[in-house]
Amino acid sequence: MGYSNHDKLEWTLIFVLEFGRHFGLTLKQAFNYLSRYKGIDFIDKHYDYCHTQSFQSMISDITDYCHRKGGALV
């Protein structure tokens, strides 16, 4: 199934906001962290799965993924 860039961008932005809230980060800090440790790449490649999960579940999954890539948030 194809998804529009608008839908992917909207969901990803909301996810980054929720990720930042969870860890007490600003939007910019959360985006930079997720970019540096490949969380944004993961979401882009696996959007069809990611957007069907709860934000809380995805925050946990992406946190683990970024941690395996060298991120310090746990």
Side-chain angles (χ1 to χ4, degrees), residues 2-14 43-48 51:
Y3 299 99
S4 73
N5 286 337
H6 179 267
D7 290 342
K8 286 175 77 172
L9 181 61
E10 184 177 51
W11 187 91
T12 303
L13 177 60
I14 295 167
I43 290 169
D44 185 45
K45 289 178 186 173
H46 303 286
Y47 175 77
D48 54 336
H51 88 281

Side-chain angles (χ1 to χ4, degrees), residues 16-66:
V16 173
L17 281 167
E18 291 299 320
F19 184 88
R21 283 186 190 143
H22 181 82
F23 289 107
L25 304 171
T26 66
L27 176 62
K28 183 176 181 177
Q29 289 170 324
F31 180 81
N32 287 342
Y33 179 87
L34 291 168
S35 292
R36 181 174 183 182
Y37 298 109
K38 309 299 182 203
I40 296 295
D41 291 342
F42 181 91
I43 290 169
D44 185 45
K45 289 178 186 173
H46 303 286
Y47 175 77
D48 54 336
Y49 168 77
C50 293
H51 88 281
T52 64
Q53 306 304 304
S54 70
F55 283 121
Q56 196 58 39
S57 174
M58 284 311 305
I59 288 169
S60 177
D61 292 349
I62 295 294
T63 300
D64 290 343
Y65 181 80
C66 290

